[in-house]
């Protein structure tokens, strides 16, 4: 999770919402990413989507069996759906997301028995660190001191 937090800091420094993600297989990072929605002008450029794409490219396989995804903020419905589609068996996240969380807060997409895949969840890992980074980012944004790339 500390590597995911480093990715979140990279997003913060670019003026992106500070969410970071890594995908690990056999103790090795095979994909990493941080939010790039503002930079890429892409609503799908969430940390998880970028890390999943990198991991699939590394494995040359869209099925991410035997992988664990670590992300600093609870995945949204889009990202949770991608986790199900990629067959990620384990998801570890930091801070819960009361506005868009789809891994137990508002929805639980990754454990919905109606879908063809379910993931094991671990929530709250380094949650205070992840939440503090998000709070700092949004406080700066409200005060008009946000970094480059963010919307006013």
């Amino acid at each position: 999770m500390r590597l995911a937090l480093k990715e979140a800091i990279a997003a913060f420094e670019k003026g992106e919402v500070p969410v970071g993600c890594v995908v690990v297989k056999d103790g090795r990072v095979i994909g990493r990413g941080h939010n790039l929605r503002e930079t890429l002008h892409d609503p799908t450029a969430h940390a998880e989507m970028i890390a999943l794409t990198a991991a699939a490219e590394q494995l040359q396989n869209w099925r991410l069996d035997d992988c664990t995804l670590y992300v600093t903020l609870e995945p949204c419905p889009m990202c949770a759906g991608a986790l199900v589609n990629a067959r990620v068996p384990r998801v570890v996240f930091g801070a819960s997301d009361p506005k868009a969380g789809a891994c137990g807060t508002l929805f639980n997409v990754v454990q919905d028995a109606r879908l063809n895949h379910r993931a094991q969840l671990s929530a709250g890992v380094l949650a205070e660190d992840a939440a503090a980074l998000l709070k700092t980012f949004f406080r700066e944004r409200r005060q008009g001191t946000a970094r480059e790339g963010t919307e006013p």
Side-chain angles (χ1 to χ4, degrees), residues 14-28:
K14 291 177 182 174
E16 296 277 356
V17 175
V19 178
C21 182
V22 295
V23 179
V24 175
K25 182 174 177 142
D26 299 327
R28 187 172 62 90

Side-chain angles (χ1 to χ4, degrees), residues 39-106:
T39 302
L40 299 178
H41 310 290
D42 180 353
T44 68
H46 289 201
E48 300 95 322
M49 302 298 279
I50 292 166
L52 287 172
T53 298
E57 180 66 26
Q58 176 72 27
L59 294 178
Q60 291 292 290
N61 192 342
W62 61 267
R63 289 177 189 87
L64 300 180
D65 300 322
D66 303 318
C67 293
T68 299
L69 181 131
Y70 296 86
V71 63
T72 58
L73 181 65
E74 180 180 2
C76 72
M78 174 184 69
C79 293
L83 293 167
V84 170
N85 285 332
R87 313 296 196 266
V88 173
R90 184 166 180 244
V91 176
V92 179
F93 69 86
S96 294
D97 186 348
K99 293 184 178 182
C103 290
T105 300
L106 294 179

Side-chain angles (χ1 to χ4, degrees), residues 1-9 20-22 24 29 32-33 70 72 126:
M1 185 59 86
R2 294 205 186 282
L3 293 175
L5 279 167
K6 285 185 180 182
E7 288 293 323
I9 290 167
C21 182
V22 295
V24 175
V29 174
R32 64 180 65 230
Y70 296 86
T72 58
L126 297 179

